[in-house]
Amino acid sequence: MKELLTGNEAVARGIGLARVEVVSAYPITPQTSVVEEVAKLCAAGKLKTRYIRIESEHSSMACTAAASMTGVRAFTATSSQGLAYMHEMLHWASGSRLPIVMVNVNRALGAPWNLWSDHSDSLSQRDTGWLQLYCHTNQECLDTLIQAFRLAETVLLPVMIVMDGFILSHTMEPVDVPRPEDVDAFLPPYEARYRLDPREPHVFNILADSRDFMRMRRQAHEDMNRAVELLEDIELEFQNTFSRSYGVLEAYLTEDAEVVLVGLGATCGTVKDVVDELRRQGFKAGLVRIRMFRPFPARKLREILLNQKKVAVLDQAVSMGAGGTLSQEVKQALFDDPHFRTREAPLVFSFITGLGGLDITPEMLERIFKETIHASGPQEEPCWMED
Amino acid sequence: MNKDWWESPEFLHPGHAFCAGCGFIIAFRHILKVLGADTIVAITAGCLGTNSGFLPSSPIKVAGYNTPFASVAAAATGIRAALDARGNSLTQVIAVAGDGGTYDIGLQALSAAAERNENFIYLCYDNEGYMNTGVQRSSATPLGAWTTTTPEGKAGPKKDLPAIMMAHRIPYFATLTPAFPEDFLAKARQAEAIKGMRFLQLLSPCPPGWGIPSQATVKLARLAVQTRVFPLYEVYDGKRIILNLEPEKVPVKDYLRAQTRFRTLSDEEMEHVQKEVDFHWAELKARADWFASKADDAAL
Ligand code: SF4
């Protein structure tokens, strides 16, 4: 049934549909309405989850991880400073191979204080061993939440669902809320392979020597890489039941494009409009929206980009002293092509914008496309689009 | 201590890596015997964290989970919530942390769990310093004690954690030591029987940290009680105090002089410590006596 929901409301619905057993979360703007919605649903008896009103994000992830280790489906949500405060525990959750799902509502990291969306919070956690899935509509937020548990429980790694603050979290969109019985069929109850169980007692996370440690890290890396194909399989099933799917990445009018923009998240909705407009003007523009950022779908991206001449990467985060975070990933993906040196690789242009919620307007996006089309090659430094 | 008790199942394998004479491990062995097999232990960094096993084996025979330093109370909360979510109200959850994980880095999570009255037992093994990293000061380190980060002797007094826990009005708080086994067992059993947050404050003599011989652990723990440095008492709901033992007063300097960590304390400073101990004892006793006289008052 279609309902008008904000992104955060869609997330709260997803918690119920996924039959999450433990939620522990701390409010932070712009995630706050998730915890409020969960509290409301619990109070009304519409949500059967144990909801712990925890005192901090560090504790929130510690509590969620311990619950997951005890064998239940566990969820949390956060944003920005909260995600940064969890940093230690993010490593712990992935190192313990716990299938937690978390929503991170994007917001810039201070200092100075800023409330609005950019991708610096989630992208700066890219090395914590969490899968990262970036959504661009409220429907996708809800659907991804349901898919994410399947994915996490199969690869035994945690999944972070990422959505732009306010743009998705506080904006209403029509969302097709799946029927509980359909979700139940798609997402069976969670039975942990390894868990804290007095009948079969194990002590988890004791000291490991360097060899064991390194072997475990390699296994986690390999398992994470498997998640690219796994998500595709899961999506096939999802498509059959719910008639929707998203892909690990979404290519929009890339086949004959003269310039392709690569981006993440909600802005990609605007980019599609701009692509349409540019095509009306006679410019062959295209878009690749990366949905799965970790594991990075390098091979898939190469398949599309290696036939292109010019690629513009839209970064809403900067790794200071190195450049746009996403553009680094795109460049590495291209460089990793075995034939990189013998074929002509596309020129990669890096644009940094939208930091601290700076409005990314259609005009700005049009400029990015046109500058890329007209330029002979990229500058050494990324281009900062500040208005 | 009856024969049945000693013959009841053990949940600690021999061959663990704790120091000889560690006060905590004696207590841990006994508390596991009380709680039994249907127990999950949340463990944090500290001596138990590093000694809870070396892959692939562990000296602990019940289910256990290591969590980073600041988070043991939050982790125990999560374990309890997960058990409850699956309708298991029988399994006991116990969080175990040293004074670092309790008085300092873990205080936020502990305070919050206490305020929510989470249903688990929290055992703090207080050896009055960061002993696992090689004897550094914690906020539980007593006045004048030598540590590697207070080579001149610690400046301020020990943080009054019992007062903090009492202020949370938790259902049960008790102090215990490895030196009074009957008292220890009675309190462990009491903790097991109560629901909600139960906090056990264990004075845990630490031979390398305190500068005592390995065989002196029990003696030092007993002296701490006899000198009234570490009174044995219970507190119900943060209010009703019961003094479990009123020992003949032994001079505090007997306790201090038995440990090399107090070697820089002058006689004058020892006198000062004696006054502090006397003051706190009098306060505790007055409160306990007042409650004893009102034992039948339902309003309490
Ligand atoms: S350092 Fe102290 S507390 Fe730690 S194991 Fe040794 S005796 Fe026990």
Side-chain angles (χ1 to χ4, degrees):
Chain A
M1 199 179 74
K2 288 229 178 196
E3 289 183 51
L4 213 49
L5 297 177
T6 65
N8 283 355
E9 286 166 346
V11 166
R13 291 302 190 82
I15 295 168
L17 289 168
R19 303 207 185 275
V20 172
E21 294 164 276
V22 172
V23 172
S24 115
Y26 188 77
I28 177 167
T29 303
Q31 166 263 37
T32 311
S33 48
V34 175
V35 291
E36 290 174 342
E37 213 35 48
V38 170
K40 251 190 266 169
L41 293 173
C42 284
K46 291 182 185 158
L47 201 55
K48 293 274 167 285
T49 185
R50 297 258 149 188
Y51 171 39
I52 298 141
R53 287 112 176 132
I54 205 94
E55 83 287 354
S56 80
E57 286 89 352
H58 190 278
S59 286
S60 159
M61 186 47 66
C63 181
T64 308
S68 178
M69 188 85 248
T70 315
V72 301
R73 193 168 279 157
F75 174 92
T76 188
T78 191
S79 180
S80 182
Q81 309 293 135
L83 183 67
Y85 191 29
M86 272 181 195
H87 177 75
E88 178 190 31
M89 295 309 308
L90 295 182
H91 283 280
W92 203 260
S94 60
S96 310
R97 305 296 304 261
L98 297 171
I100 298 164
V101 172
M102 167 166 68
V103 162
N104 179 64
V105 186
N106 278 130
R107 170 183 150 191
L109 278 170
W113 285 118
N114 179 287
L115 296 175
W116 299 281
S117 178
D118 71 26
H119 295 155
S120 53
D121 55 349
S122 52
L123 289 179
S124 65
Q125 303 300 330
R126 65 180 170 172
D127 300 329
T128 52
W130 281 62
L131 283 75
Q132 288 197 5
L133 301 171
Y134 286 73
C135 300
H136 90 313
T137 62
N138 294 351
Q139 181 74 59
E140 191 184 357
C141 293
L142 174 51
D143 293 345
T144 304
L145 205 155
I146 292 159
Q147 295 177 355
F149 277 108
R150 278 281 299 270
L151 192 58
E153 288 161 16
T154 312
V155 293
L156 290 184
L157 281 169
V159 177
M160 187 189 300
I161 298 168
V162 188
M163 55 192 265
D164 292 78
F166 298 109
I167 301 166
L168 294 183
S169 68
H170 286 63
T171 307
M172 286 196 161
E173 285 179 352
V175 175
D176 183 6
V177 180
R179 292 185 311 166
E181 53 274 29
D182 291 342
V183 177
D184 286 345
F186 176 80
L187 183 67
Y190 175 50
E191 273 313 317
R193 265 177 272 170
Y194 310 100
R195 65 189 181 101
L196 284 165
D197 181 0
R199 282 164 307 177
E200 206 190 313
H202 296 288
V203 182
F204 292 96
N205 296 332
I206 57 177
L207 267 180
D209 69 15
S210 315
R211 280 178 160 211
D212 282 335
F213 189 89
M214 182 134 171
R215 184 173 49 79
M216 288 156 105
R217 279 292 177 277
R218 195 193 68 227
Q219 278 174 354
H221 170 73
E222 287 168 0
D223 287 348
M224 192 189 279
N225 280 336
R226 286 202 297 126
V228 177
E229 281 174 11
L230 209 70
L231 180 61
E232 288 179 329
D233 295 346
I234 290 170
E235 280 224 300
L236 269 182
E237 253 186 78
F238 194 86
Q239 170 79 38
N240 287 340
T241 317
F242 303 101
S243 311
R244 293 185 291 272
S245 64
Y246 306 91
V248 293
L249 46 75
E250 181 188 356
Y252 185 70
L253 301 179
T254 53
E255 295 260 299
D256 62 338
E258 291 166 85
V259 53
V260 166
L261 186 144
V262 180
L264 290 172
T267 318
C268 292
T270 319
V271 177
K272 281 185 195 168
D273 285 348
V274 172
V275 165
D276 292 344
E277 169 58 28
L278 284 171
R279 291 215 165 227
R280 270 193 290 277
Q281 294 175 21
F283 291 101
K284 287 181 178 160
L287 163 75
V288 174
R289 176 173 77 89
I290 308 271
R291 179 174 180 234
M292 180 177 243
F293 179 78
R294 275 290 178 278
F296 197 70
R299 198 171 303 143
K300 302 253 164 226
L301 189 65
R302 272 203 299 277
E303 279 167 18
I304 301 165
L305 293 189
L306 278 174
N307 300 316
Q308 306 294 334
K309 294 211 162 44
K310 284 178 173 175
V311 173
V313 183
L314 183 71
D315 253 301
Q316 296 174 65
V318 58
S319 173
M320 281 177 266
T325 313
L326 181 60
S327 74
Q328 291 173 31
E329 302 274 339
V330 172
K331 286 176 197 165
Q332 193 202 318
L334 293 172
F335 192 90
D336 281 349
D337 177 51
H339 309 296
F340 182 76
R341 276 164 214 289
T342 52
R343 67 197 286 174
E344 212 174 311
L347 298 170
V348 178
F349 296 72
S350 167
F351 294 89
I352 295 173
T353 190
L355 302 189
L358 187 86
D359 206 9
I360 304 176
T361 59
E363 294 71 37
M364 188 193 278
L365 292 167
E366 216 177 294
R367 249 169 52 219
I368 288 175
F369 275 110
K370 287 185 174 165
E371 276 181 25
T372 308
I373 289 171
H374 295 309
S376 53
Q379 306 288 315
E380 201 179 322
E381 280 292 306
C383 178
W384 290 70
M385 309 288 285
E386 297 183 20
D387 52 58
Chain B
M1 302 292 260
N2 55 30
K3 188 161 162 285
D4 287 353
W5 162 254
W6 287 112
E7 283 170 1
S8 70
E10 299 280 351
F11 294 95
L12 202 66
H13 290 278
H16 58 69
F18 285 83
C19 305
C22 175
F24 163 67
I25 200 66
I26 304 171
F28 191 50
R29 174 189 167 197
H30 288 159
I31 202 129
L32 290 182
K33 275 169 85 87
V34 169
L35 300 181
D38 197 8
T39 299
I40 297 175
V41 196
I43 305 162
T44 193
C47 289
L48 181 58
T50 48
N51 292 327
S52 59
F54 200 150
L55 213 70
S57 56
S58 167
I60 302 168
K61 288 194 210 182
V62 296
Y65 172 67
N66 276 278
T67 187
F69 215 173
S71 64
V72 76
T77 300
I79 294 168
R80 181 77 264 161
L83 293 170
D84 291 347
R86 289 276 167 108
N88 173 354
S89 57
L90 293 176
T91 300
Q92 278 283 359
V93 178
I94 177 167
V96 186
D99 44 298
T102 304
Y103 283 69
D104 294 336
I105 193 168
L107 187 60
Q108 171 186 292
L110 168 61
S111 168
E115 184 271 334
R116 293 190 304 265
N117 194 22
E118 294 291 347
N119 183 22
F120 63 82
I121 299 173
Y122 192 110
L123 171 67
C124 168
Y125 57 105
D126 178 7
N127 50 28
E128 304 188 323
Y130 304 151
M131 303 316 191
N132 185 50
T133 39
V135 194
Q136 294 82 29
R137 99 190 275 280
S138 78
S139 61
T141 302
L143 179 77
W146 174 93
T147 69
T148 56
T149 52
T150 54
E152 72 290 17
K154 191 200 174 200
K158 177 172 178 160
K159 186 191 275 183
D160 192 352
L161 189 77
I164 295 171
M165 293 317 294
M166 271 184 250
H168 286 82
R169 301 277 188 256
I170 54 172
Y172 188 63
F173 171 95
T175 62
L176 27 84
T177 79
F180 294 84
E182 266 91 10
D183 176 79
F184 182 100
L185 279 187
K187 287 170 177 170
R189 286 180 175 142
Q190 183 70 308
E192 189 197 19
I194 288 172
K195 287 230 164 1
M197 167 69 80
R198 294 139 282 167
F199 189 93
L200 301 177
Q201 166 85 13
L202 173 84
L203 184 72
S204 177
C206 168
W210 290 16
I212 56 171
S214 298
Q215 68 275 22
T217 299
V218 172
K219 188 176 146 212
L220 260 291
R222 193 179 301 122
L223 261 178
V225 175
Q226 288 166 336
T227 53
R228 300 172 176 177
V229 167
F230 189 82
L232 291 175
Y233 62 99
E234 294 162 286
V235 187
Y236 289 86
D237 301 317
K239 291 183 282 192
R240 190 155 60 87
I241 296 185
I242 296 168
L243 255 180
N244 308 110
L245 202 76
E246 296 194 34
E248 289 297 315
K249 193 171 146 189
V250 174
V252 172
K253 66 176 186 332
D254 291 5
Y255 173 69
L256 300 175
R257 288 219 169 104
Q259 309 171 52
T260 62
R261 63 174 171 156
F262 293 112
R263 60 186 171 264
T264 60
L265 277 192
S266 64
D267 282 345
E268 225 174 36
E269 286 165 324
M270 288 197 187
E271 238 352 274
H272 173 74
V273 176
Q274 180 72 59
K275 284 204 182 97
E276 285 282 310
V277 167
D278 291 345
F279 173 80
H280 285 294
W281 174 266
E283 201 186 17
L284 188 68
K285 172 125 178 63
R287 287 183 69 180
D289 286 349
W290 191 81
F291 277 100
S293 73
K294 306 262 173 180
D296 302 327
D297 192 335
L300 293 169

